[in-house]
């Protein structure tokens, strides 16, 4: 049975309150103030997530841990969403990872956080909503469920995704076991069929590498031959239809991400979710480490 404890993160002159679920040799830590995201997942004291040096402590968008992507995945064309004929500026991956979340529940079996509209969100996203992020831990398996509720009187358009950064010894040591329908480096245009074996290798002349996947089958798995870590990301294929693999050459991580939209999906009819007033929808997935 898991146990919840309160803690503190201190580094570079910044202090954040943390909440941690522990079950046996595994522990999952959440930092509500930093976009409500998970910031540590350990087994036997070994860290499976990755925090970017000084980025986590800054006011910049977190590029580490497990950011929650809402109301969009990626950056829309021109950096704007268009609602009712008006343009609204929108950052890459939305705003849920930029603002503090409120603690709803901090119990031994679950941590629940909430995010409601404020002045910032209304400026970039003129809708009423309630987000609830639920974290659980069962041994080496962390459960992450985002519930999106439309609390307004008009349809709520959005996409959802998660951006987990998994610690890696070296990119060359990481192999993937993933089945997908298509694989490309750009979501626009016709998508080529995915190869039987998906790889993520350093791209000459570029600082990073990416694979955009559609028709992804659950689970997605990675194995790191350098640190002997395995990670399995499992999800409902009807909810998370897309996947992303991403890395940066100068950093020691790989991202294996469940998404249900692309960068401009909220602007494109039929390519995003619209919740009716009063409706809600769950986006659940798990991470199992070994």
């Amino acid at each position: 049975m898991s146990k919840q404890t309160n803690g503190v993160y201190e580094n570079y002159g910044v202090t954040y309150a943390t909440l941690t679920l522990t079950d046996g040799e595994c522990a999952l830590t959440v930092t509500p103030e930093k976009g409500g995201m998970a910031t540590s997942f350990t087994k036997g004291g070994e860290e499976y997530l990755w925090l970017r040096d000084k980025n986590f402590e800054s006011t910049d968008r977190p590029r580490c841990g497990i950011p929650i992507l809402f109301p969009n995945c990626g950056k829309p064309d021109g950096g704007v969403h268009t609602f009712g004929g008006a343009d609204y500026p929108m950052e890459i991956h939305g705003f849920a990872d930029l603002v503090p979340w409120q603690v709803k529940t901090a119990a031994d079996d679950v941590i629940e956080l909430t995010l409601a509209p404020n002045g910032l969100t209304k400026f970039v996203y003129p809708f009423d909503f309630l987000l609830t992020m639920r974290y659980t831990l069962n041994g080496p398996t962390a459960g992450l469920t985002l519930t999106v509720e439309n609390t307004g009187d008009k349809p709520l358009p959005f996409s959802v995704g998660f951006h987990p950064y998994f610690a890696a010894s070296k990119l060359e040591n990481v192999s993937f076991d993933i089945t997908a329908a298509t694989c490309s480096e750009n979501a626009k245009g016709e998508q080529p069929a995915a190869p039987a074996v998906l790889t993520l290798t350093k791209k000459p002349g570029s600082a990073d590498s990416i694979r955009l996947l559609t028709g992804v089958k659950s689970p997605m798995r990675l194995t790191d031959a350098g640190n002997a870590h395995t990670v399995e990301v499992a999800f409902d294929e009807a909810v998370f239809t897309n996947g992303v693999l991403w890395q940066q050459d100068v950093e020691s991580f790989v991202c294996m991400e469940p998404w249900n939209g692309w960068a401009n999906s909220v602007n494109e009819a039929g390519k995003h979710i619209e919740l009716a007033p009063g409706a809600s929808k769950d986006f659940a997935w798990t991470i199992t480490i070994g």
Side-chain angles (χ1 to χ4, degrees), residues 210-249:
I210 193 169
R211 301 289 185 272
L212 304 176
L213 315 173
T214 69
V216 182
K217 300 299 182 182
S218 178
M220 297 188 287
R221 299 185 181 93
L222 69 79
T223 300
D224 189 328
N227 56 24
H229 287 184
T230 62
V231 178
E232 179 180 284
V233 168
F235 49 90
D236 184 341
E237 296 169 8
V239 174
F240 292 105
T241 56
N242 301 337
V244 178
L245 304 179
W246 182 65
Q247 62 87 214
Q248 284 184 303
D249 290 353

Side-chain angles (χ1 to χ4, degrees), residues 38-184:
T39 51
S40 176
F41 192 10
T42 62
K43 181 179 181 181
E46 289 194 40
E47 182 62 71
Y48 281 71
L49 297 184
W50 181 82
L51 289 187
R52 188 183 298 265
D53 186 44
K54 297 186 180 180
N55 163 253
F56 176 65
E57 294 82 5
S58 77
T59 58
D60 296 338
R61 177 174 61 88
R63 305 180 71 198
C64 53
I66 308 181
I68 301 161
L69 313 185
F70 176 91
N72 52 292
C73 306
K75 189 169 186 176
D77 291 354
V80 298
H81 285 149
T82 302
F83 304 120
D87 289 342
Y88 294 83
M90 183 58 68
E91 292 294 324
I92 185 171
H93 301 323
F95 54 74
D97 59 350
L98 285 169
V99 295
W101 289 52
Q102 302 302 309
V103 179
K104 177 184 178 182
T105 306
D108 285 344
D109 59 342
V110 64
I111 294 169
E112 290 182 309
L113 310 177
T114 61
L115 178 64
N118 55 38
L120 169 64
T121 71
K122 281 299 184 74
F123 178 74
V124 299
Y125 188 64
F127 299 95
D128 291 313
F129 61 87
L130 178 65
L131 304 184
T132 302
M133 189 66 212
R134 187 173 191 268
Y135 295 96
T136 60
L137 183 64
N138 183 10
T141 299
L144 300 88
T145 301
L146 177 67
T147 300
V148 181
E149 180 181 356
N150 183 352
T151 59
D153 58 5
K154 55 187 176 182
L156 184 72
F158 65 93
S159 293
V160 162
F162 292 86
H163 201 313
Y165 288 75
F166 298 114
S169 57
K170 287 183 179 180
L171 179 62
E172 301 87 272
N173 293 333
V174 177
S175 59
F176 298 96
D177 180 7
I178 300 174
T179 299
T182 70
C183 174
S184 72

Side-chain angles (χ1 to χ4, degrees), residues 188-201:
K188 295 184 181 298
E190 185 175 351
Q191 299 297 291
V197 178
L198 287 170
T199 59
L200 184 62
T201 55

